[in-house]
Structures are given as C-alpha cells and as structure tokens.
Amino acid sequence: QLTLSYSDEIVNRDFNNVFQLAPKSSELGEQSLDLSIELAQAVGSDVTDVAMVGDNTAAITFTFDPLREEIIPSRDGVEVVVDEVWSPTLTDATPIVQELQDQEPDVMIFGATAFSDSVAILRKMDELDVQLPMIGIGAWLLLPAYIENVGADLANGIMAATGAHPQAGQEENVSRFTEFSDEPFMIQD
C-alpha cells in the first residue's frame, strides 16, 4: 500500500507492505517545534512557552497528542502554556485568542482543518492585536486560494509544516510535473 497519510497509526500496525511517503504525524509535530526553536534562536530569542491551538480532527489530534504528551515534556525549559482544542465548526474564537493574549506564548502551533475556523482565529487575533509567530500543521496554509481568501495581511508570517510537498533535491521532478499537469504545485490539498 502506498499512502500520503501521515498518521502514525498507518505504520504502527505492522503491515508488511506499507510505503508512507510523508513523515509520521508525530515527526511532523516535532519538526514544527524544532523549526520554531531554531528560527527563534537565529534571531536571538528563545522558545519556552508554546501554544497549541487546533481542532479535534484526526489530522490534528495525531500531531498534537505526541507534542503534548511526549515531545514538549522532553524538552528542557519548554512548556505548553495554551492548549486549546475545539470541535469544528468553531463558533467563537474570542476565548481562545484571549488566552493567547493573556499567556503571551513564544510560538503558536496552529491546526485548523476547517477554513472558517482558521479564518476566525486569524481575524480575532487581528482584532485583539495578538501577534506571535505561528507554524501551521498542514498544506492548507500554503495554497494560493487560502491566501487569496483570507488576505495576505492575515496570512503574512505564518509558516507551515507539511509532509507532502516537494523538498530540496526534487526540483527536476517538480518541473516535469507542473509542465505536464499545468498544476501550480506537485502535491497539494
């Protein structure tokens, strides 16, 4: 079986012939945290306080649970200060963003699978003037349609971690694919 799924459960079930093209969800979460820490250190800052803000869908849960239960607790001096999870569709982002405002985390790991939920969070952050580095889990933040609809001003500065987009060394394959398919990306949501 060939899969682009990034759930740890796909490869943890001891199937004999599963080829997972994306990193496991726990690895994606860990890489997101590591990238946030590295970028902060590169500009002379530290990441000690982390916010995890996302919905309770499988895609986000399988990334957030290992972060919450294993990865962040294993990092000296790093702790979760905001842990907000909701069931889509989010009706009011105010309490979540107020907690971000109160706790002032160094970075927010953001996972919202519903477009309307992600927009609600970003708009409320803008309204309450909450500014902090964000790294999103998933390809949705990379899509031109997302930026066109949410607005470049709200999406500006958000980083995204995704396991299914081309990486360095794949340039020739990407070029051949985009020429053949007339798609803007090799792999997209």
Side-chain angles (χ1 to χ4, degrees), residues 16-17 22 45:
N16 290 327
N17 297 302
S45 296

Side-chain angles (χ1 to χ4, degrees), residues 123-179:
R123 287 188 176 153
K124 188 57 69 173
M125 288 176 72
D126 184 54
E127 178 186 326
L128 298 179
D129 197 32
V130 174
Q131 299 175 14
L132 69 151
M134 288 183 274
I135 187 158
I137 303 297
W140 50 276
L141 289 162
L142 302 173
L143 299 176
Y146 181 78
I147 295 169
E148 288 170 15
N149 285 293
V150 76
D153 55 325
L154 292 182
N156 187 32
I158 301 174
M159 300 172 287
T162 180
H165 276 264
Q167 298 178 3
Q170 297 177 334
E171 294 85 1
E172 182 181 341
N173 289 338
V174 171
S175 177
R176 288 181 16 220
F177 177 83
T178 55
E179 286 175 25

Side-chain angles (χ1 to χ4, degrees), residues 24-124:
K24 296 187 303 184
S25 53
S26 60
E27 291 171 354
L28 188 62
E30 184 170 24
Q31 291 167 3
S32 300
L33 178 65
D34 290 344
L35 177 62
S36 300
I37 292 170
E38 287 174 30
L39 290 171
Q41 290 172 341
V43 295
S45 296
D46 290 317
V47 171
T48 57
D49 298 335
V50 176
M52 294 175 34
V53 175
D55 61 42
N56 65 355
T57 60
I60 303 307
T61 300
F62 284 129
T63 303
F64 276 19
D65 284 353
L67 275 169
R68 181 184 300 110
E69 296 164 9
E70 300 164 24
I71 297 165
I72 292 174
S74 72
R75 304 296 172 92
D76 288 337
V78 180
E79 67 177 325
V80 176
V81 296
V82 176
D83 191 350
E84 288 289 337
V85 178
W86 67 87
S87 296
T89 302
L90 181 64
T91 56
D92 184 9
T94 305
I96 294 169
V97 176
Q98 284 176 330
E99 187 172 359
L100 291 169
Q101 193 173 44
D102 292 344
Q103 296 299 321
E104 299 180 351
D106 300 310
V107 67
M108 180 172 94
I109 301 175
F110 189 30
T113 57
F115 178 83
S116 59
D117 292 356
S118 67
V119 171
I121 295 285
L122 294 178
R123 287 188 176 153
K124 188 57 69 173

